[in-house]
Amino acid sequence: MDYSFLGNIINREVSGNKMYGLIERLYPICRSITGNGVRETLSIVSEIIPLEIIEVKSGEKALDWEIPLEWNITDAYVLDEKGDKVIDFKESNLHVLNYSVPIDKDVSLEELKEHVFTIPERPDWIPYRTSYHNKNWGFCMAHSKFEKLKKGNYHVKVDATLEPGSLTYGEYYIKGETEQEVLISCHICHPSLCNDNLSGIAVAAFLAEILTKSKPRFSYRFLFVPGTIGSITWLSRNEDKLGNIRHGLVLTLLGDEGKLNYKKSRRGNAAIDKIVENALKTKNDDYGIIDFYPYGYDERQFCSPGYNLPVGRLSRTPHGEFPEYHTSADNLDFVKADKLSASLVFLLGVFEIIEGNRRYLNLNPKGEPQLGKRGLFKKIGGESKTKDYHMALLWVLNLSDGDCSLLDISVRSGLGFPTIKEAADALIKVGLLKELNEE
Ligand code: ZN
C-alpha cells in the first residue's frame, strides 16, 4: 500500500522492533488499575509521546463508580516450614492476586488452598487473577507446583498498601486542521502480560508518534487508561468533548500470530465500521468481523447507550479465544515484532481512509472523458496494478455524482482505498473532478 500522508515516515521493520523493545521494557512492571506501576508505565510511554498525566483522587465519583483506594506492592511470598519460598512475587508478579490486601500470617495448607488460583488444564502456567472490588488476599501459581505442596503450616506475606491515593491515566492530543476527533484508547492495567495490554500500548504509542509528524486533518486523542474504571473516569470528566468524536478505536491484542479481527461499534453502521471493514476486505489477508456485544474491553463504556460513540475495536485473536490469555504464557515469546508491525501498518491504512475520504463531482459527466489525451494512462509497476489504477479512474469518474465518497467507490469497486485515492488525485490535477465537501 502507498500512504500519501504517512508514506515516508514509517519503516515497518524498525517500528516492529521498536514496539517490541517497548514491550520488553514494560513487561516486568507490576501494573494494576491504580498505583506506581501505572505511573512508571506512563512515564516510559512519555519518552515516545508527551503524555498528559491525570490523577483522580480515591473516593471521587465517576458515573456509577467510585475511584478505589490506590494499591501498591513491594513483595509477596509463601514460605514452607523450612523457610523456603514456595511462591515468590519476585519471580513473577502474576503470583499475587492483583489488588490483594496486605497479609502477614501463618496458615494451614487447607486455608492456603482457599486463596490459591491455578489452571489444572495448563499445569505449568500461572493464571492472572484480580480482586479489585472484593477485599481478599491470594496467590496464583502453576498447578504442577500446587500439587506438590505438602501438608503442614505456611507463612503468607503480601507486602502491599491499599490506601487513599489516586487513579492515574495518560492522555495525548494531536491537534489537526479540524476539531473533529478520532479517539484511540488502550488499557494499561495488566501486570506482566504482553499481548493483553502491552501490545495495545506499544501500537498506540508509535501510532501517535507517526501521526504527530503527519499534520493530520482530524484531531487525534489517545487514551492510556486502566480498563473499565479508567475509561469510565475519562468519560465522566470529558462529556463536553464527546460531540467532536467522529471515529474511535479500542486497541488490544495486536501482537499474536492470529488474523486481524474487528469488532463493530454498537451502531454497527458507523463510518468507522465501514472504513475498517473496507481496509480489511481490500488487504488480501484472512480477517474476522465481530458484531457488537456488551462485553470485552473499553468499547463497552464508549458504546454504552448513553454515549453510543462510533468506537470499534481492533485486535488479532480475541480475548478468551487463545489459551495463553490471562496467563503467564502471554509472555515475550507470544508477541512478535512483525505482527505488531503489521497491526500498525494496517492502522495507518485505516487512518489513510479517515484522512483521505472525500466526495467529488465529475465535471465531465456526459460520456467518458478522453483519458489518453490527458496523460492518465500511466505505467506503474506490474500489469495488475496498472489495470487496477485504470479501473479506479473509471470508477471514480462514474460514481463521483455528488452522492458517493471515495470510500463508497472503494467498497463498490472492490479496489483498495489507496488506489481509488490515487486515481482521484490524478483526476483533480487534470480538472476532471471538483471536491464537494469534507467527509
Ligand atoms: Zn485482560
Side-chain angles (χ1 to χ4, degrees), residues 128 187 190 193 196 297 325-326:
Y128 160 59
H187 65 288
H190 290 26
L193 295 170
D196 193 1
Y297 292 89
Y325 173 70
H326 280 187

Side-chain angles (χ1 to χ4, degrees), residues 16 19 30 65 82 109 163 180 201 206 265 354 370:
M19 286 185 280
C30 185
W65 298 59
K82 283 188 275 177
L109 178 61
E163 293 168 342
Q180 297 192 358
I201 297 172
F206 284 97
S265 74
I354 289 175
Q370 208 187 331

Side-chain angles (χ1 to χ4, degrees), residues 263-394:
K263 177 179 170 184
K264 289 183 183 180
S265 74
R266 179 177 182 272
R267 299 183 190 181
N269 62 352
I272 188 68
D273 300 322
K274 291 181 200 157
I275 288 167
V276 180
E277 202 166 342
N278 176 261
L280 285 167
K281 258 188 195 156
T282 52
K283 215 174 77 72
N284 292 330
D285 274 340
D286 196 14
Y287 65 91
I289 301 276
I290 305 162
D291 277 329
F292 179 80
Y293 61 99
Y295 190 65
Y297 292 89
D298 283 328
E299 68 275 10
R300 293 154 71 169
Q301 314 312 330
F302 300 120
C303 296
S304 54
Y307 295 125
N308 201 22
L309 294 171
V311 176
R313 186 190 79 203
L314 188 74
S315 64
R316 289 186 173 274
T317 312
H319 55 95
E321 293 183 20
F322 55 98
E324 294 84 356
Y325 173 70
H326 280 187
T327 77
S328 55
D330 181 2
N331 58 21
L332 289 167
D333 293 330
F334 188 63
V335 291
K336 308 287 180 212
D338 64 324
K339 294 298 168 184
L340 294 163
S341 181
S343 300
L344 181 117
V345 169
F346 176 75
L347 282 159
L348 292 177
V350 168
F351 292 130
E352 182 79 1
I353 301 177
I354 289 175
E355 290 286 321
N357 196 22
R358 301 278 203 287
R359 254 173 248 278
Y360 296 95
L361 191 65
N362 178 349
L363 298 173
N364 188 54
K366 293 181 176 170
E368 283 182 3
Q370 208 187 331
L371 299 180
K373 74 174 181 191
R374 294 178 170 92
L376 286 170
F377 288 119
K378 63 171 186 169
K379 292 261 179 257
I380 37 160
E383 273 291 285
S384 68
K385 205 175 171 191
T386 310
K387 193 168 152 250
D388 282 356
Y389 178 69
H390 184 198
M391 283 311 296
L393 291 169
L394 300 179

Side-chain angles (χ1 to χ4, degrees), residues 231-287:
S231 54
I232 283 175
T233 302
W234 184 84
L235 283 162
S236 73
R237 298 159 63 92
N238 290 281
E239 290 196 343
D240 58 324
K241 300 194 178 86
L242 304 184
N244 287 334
I245 296 174
R246 290 290 167 272
H247 314 285
L249 283 171
V250 169
L251 302 184
T252 179
L253 309 172
L254 289 167
D256 65 278
E257 309 234 32
K259 65 185 181 189
L260 285 168
N261 273 284
Y262 175 68
K263 177 179 170 184
K264 289 183 183 180
S265 74
R266 179 177 182 272
R267 299 183 190 181
N269 62 352
I272 188 68
D273 300 322
K274 291 181 200 157
I275 288 167
V276 180
E277 202 166 342
N278 176 261
L280 285 167
K281 258 188 195 156
T282 52
K283 215 174 77 72
N284 292 330
D285 274 340
D286 196 14
Y287 65 91

Side-chain angles (χ1 to χ4, degrees), residues 19-175:
M19 286 185 280
Y20 190 84
L22 176 63
I23 289 175
E24 276 183 310
R25 273 182 78 191
L26 298 176
Y27 180 65
I29 300 171
C30 185
R31 278 163 294 271
S32 185
I33 52 172
T34 63
N36 292 327
V38 171
R39 292 190 188 97
E40 198 185 334
T41 298
L42 294 176
S43 130
I44 291 172
V45 172
S46 294
E47 294 171 18
I48 300 158
I49 42 166
L51 289 179
E52 183 190 353
I53 309 289
I54 294 102
E55 301 273 356
V56 185
K57 281 202 172 74
S58 301
E60 278 196 25
K61 292 268 179 232
L63 304 177
D64 195 43
W65 298 59
E66 195 175 284
I67 306 299
L69 295 173
E70 182 179 323
W71 185 71
N72 283 295
I73 181 159
T74 34
D75 202 3
Y77 50 79
V78 177
L79 299 177
D80 66 13
E81 286 177 359
K82 283 188 275 177
D84 290 334
K85 282 184 183 171
V86 294
I87 303 176
D88 186 359
F89 169 79
K90 297 234 157 104
E91 272 178 13
S92 166
N93 58 38
L94 296 176
H95 272 312
V96 73
L97 176 70
N98 202 285
Y99 249 69
S100 173
V101 297
I103 192 95
D104 186 6
K105 70 169 183 177
D106 291 321
V107 295
S108 65
L109 178 61
E110 285 64 42
E111 186 178 352
L112 177 63
K113 280 186 170 178
E114 284 169 26
H115 293 268
V116 172
F117 303 88
T118 69
I119 318 169
E121 315 83 67
R122 303 277 174 182
D124 296 326
W125 297 354
I126 308 164
Y128 160 59
R129 295 280 183 275
T130 65
S131 191
Y132 304 134
H133 306 294
N134 297 325
K135 286 200 170 171
N136 194 7
W137 62 269
F139 293 89
C140 304
M141 71 190 296
H143 194 72
S144 55
K145 290 191 176 160
F146 174 75
E147 283 189 307
K148 288 186 188 132
L149 293 178
K150 297 196 177 82
K151 256 195 173 337
N153 288 316
Y154 289 86
H155 187 81
V156 296
K157 169 110 174 174
V158 175
D159 190 1
T161 54
L162 198 54
E163 293 168 342
S166 57
L167 173 139
T168 316
Y169 66 86
E171 187 166 346
Y172 179 59
Y173 182 70
I174 303 168
K175 179 133 186 46

